[in-house]
Amino acid sequence: MTCKPAVGAFFTRRTGRLHMQETPLQQQGSLLHNTLINSIVTPAPGELARRRPSMCHDGTPLVYSLQLDKGDKAPAFRLLVEPGGTGITVPQQISFSLRALDQLLHLLGWQESVEDVNAIVSRVFPSEATPVSHWWGGIWLGMSLDHQSADLRLYLNLRHGEALARWQRVADVLGWFGDEALSATFNRWLAAVSSHATPVGLGVVVAGGRVRGLRVYTGLYAPTQETMEAACLDMAGGDKLKLKLLTDTFTGWLGTFQPQSVTMGYDFRLEATGTLHPAIARVKVDISCQLLPSDKRADVVPVFSDIISAWDFDTTYLHEYLDDLRECFGGYVVEFLSLGFRGELDHVTLYTKPDGCAPG
């Protein structure tokens, strides 16, 4: 990847803004960040792709994001990477990512999470390589860092197979951590959401040596205000008008959303006992900006900033983050916008890829 010095400078600026210089938390964040960056493989000149990129349409293997929460909570800074490059097959990419994950768990001293992580992976991907060879993507890795904690993220791609098989894989993973109460929650969720969306991914949060949470991502078959509200399961509460404002803005640019261009994420939190809390903790609505015309894509940040400022989010952190991207990389491109609901609008997130970090 051609922008590694800029990546290091950007991370230093970000952690400096979080006031973490030389603290154990900053050291842990540096370990996560640098190891993840080193898992990225730049394609050799003329190398033929053996799998489709699954994070960014152009194959960029690096995405940064900033989450702004309501109230006085400091922002969370995140990194997503797609390890291994596109010159390897999907089974090889999965193996490559799992080796990088194992290295990180060892370096962090979080080996006690390995049993749960292995249980999750084995319930998503079949043990035989041949069926997986035709899947769309494999595993991404990521991290989150704020002024209080750092965690490791694992993302498993479910964009393959019929809807029933995908839901079964999700049920198998949740069942590893769940009980009868969670089964009832799953059945109600399935009945409400399955007609509107299909599973497309599974996120795993590891921190302090154990799995802390799971997020199931589903892609909407036909994204509209109505299907988004239905898939929010009343978690948006009285803030549905805020979702409508953002979707009206996008449909004004796009005409209509393309199938699967809006993703709904459902958070499940693990109790201290290691059992999933039998309720969905939060719902996220992720809107892809990747299909926007280039002239409209440039409008996303100023429009988004104005909108969330009207919703009483402090946009100072957002503009600092964007200034850092410009300073270190010369610019950025917005990939996704996200709204998170927990009875009302809980947080907003901007996902960006740095300019000059595309493969090749």
Side-chain angles (χ1 to χ4, degrees):
M1 191 175 61
T2 59
C3 58
K4 281 191 178 181
V7 165
F10 178 68
F11 180 74
T12 300
R13 291 172 70 94
R14 284 284 85 213
T15 53
R17 292 191 186 278
L18 290 171
H19 309 293
M20 291 183 181
Q21 298 94 327
E22 303 304 322
T23 65
L25 179 57
Q26 195 272 345
Q27 293 169 6
Q28 192 177 66
S30 294
L31 176 63
L32 279 164
H33 182 272
N34 296 339
T35 305
L36 289 171
I37 292 298
N38 287 334
S39 74
I40 296 172
V41 176
T42 303
E47 182 179 51
L48 296 177
R50 302 182 67 191
R51 65 179 184 88
R52 290 179 288 179
S54 55
M55 193 164 69
C56 297
H57 288 181
D58 69 350
T60 300
L62 168 67
V63 170
Y64 284 117
S65 70
L66 186 76
Q67 176 178 306
L68 301 176
D69 289 81
K70 274 291 185 72
D72 298 328
K73 186 177 178 182
F77 162 66
R78 298 205 175 100
L79 163 70
L80 299 173
V81 300
E82 187 171 348
T86 55
I88 57 178
T89 65
V90 174
Q92 289 171 336
Q93 195 274 339
I94 292 170
S95 297
F96 186 100
S97 296
L98 291 176
R99 287 195 299 272
L101 175 65
D102 185 67
Q103 178 189 11
L104 268 169
L105 294 177
H106 177 77
L107 291 172
L108 292 163
W110 291 356
Q111 292 96 326
E112 59 263 47
S113 64
V114 169
E115 181 183 4
D116 283 339
V117 170
N118 286 342
I120 293 167
V121 172
S122 67
R123 284 161 173 77
V124 171
F125 298 116
S127 57
E128 302 84 6
T130 302
V132 183
S133 298
H134 304 291
W135 284 32
W136 179 2
I139 291 178
W140 312 339
L141 299 175
M143 61 166 287
S144 179
L145 180 68
D146 60 29
H147 71 294
Q148 291 182 322
S149 62
D151 62 50
L152 175 62
R153 307 287 175 105
L154 172 68
Y155 300 90
L156 297 88
N157 201 327
L158 295 177
R159 290 184 184 273
H160 187 79
E162 298 297 324
L164 182 60
R166 299 189 194 191
W167 282 109
Q168 184 60 59
R169 291 198 290 274
V170 170
D172 291 342
V173 170
L174 297 181
W176 172 256
F177 299 96
D179 53 20
E180 291 184 4
L182 183 64
S183 295
T185 297
F186 178 85
N187 289 332
R188 289 193 298 271
W189 173 46
L190 180 66
V193 173
S194 59
S195 61
H196 302 295
T198 185
V200 295
L202 180 71
V204 184
V205 178
V206 182
R210 66 184 184 89
V211 174
R212 303 284 178 168
L214 301 173
R215 175 177 293 161
V216 180
Y217 294 92
T218 68
L220 289 173
Y221 295 123
T224 64
Q225 178 68 25
E226 292 71 26
T227 57
M228 287 182 225
E229 287 186 8
C232 275
L233 307 176
D234 294 327
M235 296 288 281
D239 280 345
K240 291 178 181 177
L241 288 177
K242 293 177 179 175
L243 177 60
K244 185 177 188 304
L245 175 59
L246 195 61
T247 55
D248 283 351
T249 300
F250 266 76
T251 52
W253 287 335
L254 286 168
T256 58
F257 285 109
Q258 293 295 310
Q260 305 286 316
S261 63
V262 175
T263 303
M264 310 292 297
Y266 301 88
D267 287 359
F268 294 85
R269 176 175 54 82
L270 268 80
E271 307 279 17
T273 59
T275 301
L276 282 175
H277 182 71
I280 294 172
R282 183 167 56 186
V283 174
K284 276 174 54 83
V285 184
D286 294 344
I287 300 175
S288 173
C289 302
Q290 298 182 90
L291 297 179
L292 285 174
S294 57
D295 59 329
K296 297 303 181 185
R297 211 161 171 180
D299 293 336
V300 170
V301 166
V303 171
F304 185 61
S305 178
D306 288 345
I307 289 174
I308 65 173
S309 180
W311 295 343
D312 297 324
F313 284 91
D314 184 352
T315 58
T316 303
Y317 295 115
L318 173 65
H319 294 296
E320 288 177 347
Y321 166 76
L322 297 173
D323 286 344
D324 288 346
L325 285 168
R326 282 188 288 264
E327 178 71 22
C328 295
F329 301 105
Y332 58 86
V333 179
V334 178
E335 293 292 284
F336 303 94
L337 299 179
S338 177
L339 304 182
F341 296 97
R342 199 195 318 250
E344 61 181 5
L345 184 62
D346 180 69
H347 69 269
V348 297
T349 309
L350 179 77
Y351 295 82
T352 54
K353 64 180 181 184
D355 264 6
C357 287

